[in-house]
Amino acid sequence: MSMKRTNVYADPEDLAIIKEAAKRRGISEAEIIRQGIHLAAMANRVWDEPLFSRTFRGAGRTPGKSEVRDTVADAVSRETESGTAT
């Protein structure tokens, strides 16, 4: 991957923390800064499609606690009976 050089202003306290972390981890300060830039870029990225792009048919309501518990218990029971439980 090719890199592009840029200049930024940083708080001296942040740079001291980065310097200490780089020494402790045995990597360059630049690598820590690149990781931070990547995290910032991904946190601000606008995705082309929504996280949930498909819809599923359902009852059109939120199930209650007992209904969820019963459904999970039934599924576990079926898996246990068929021998597919892990």
Side-chain angles (χ1 to χ4, degrees):
M1 166 174 57
S2 69
M3 300 279 177
K4 185 172 180 177
R5 183 183 173 101
T6 189
N7 295 319
V8 297
Y9 292 97
D11 185 277
E13 291 176 12
D14 290 339
L15 292 175
I17 293 169
I18 289 171
K19 181 181 280 291
E20 180 182 314
K23 184 177 180 182
R24 185 178 60 251
R25 293 176 58 194
I27 61 175
S28 69
E29 295 171 43
E31 181 59 27
I32 292 176
I33 293 168
R34 280 192 290 272
Q35 290 171 1
I37 291 171
H38 179 70
L39 289 173
M42 295 307 291
N44 289 284
R45 181 175 178 180
V46 176
W47 298 91
D48 293 337
E49 63 181 59
L51 181 61
F52 299 105
S53 60
R54 296 187 302 174
T55 58
F56 300 93
R57 289 188 183 181
R61 60 177 176 73
T62 302
K65 182 178 179 179
S66 61
E67 187 178 352
V68 171
R69 187 181 326 117
D70 293 344
T71 301
V72 171
D74 289 345
V76 169
S77 177
R78 282 193 305 273
E79 286 187 13
T80 303
E81 290 171 2
S82 67
T84 60
T86 55

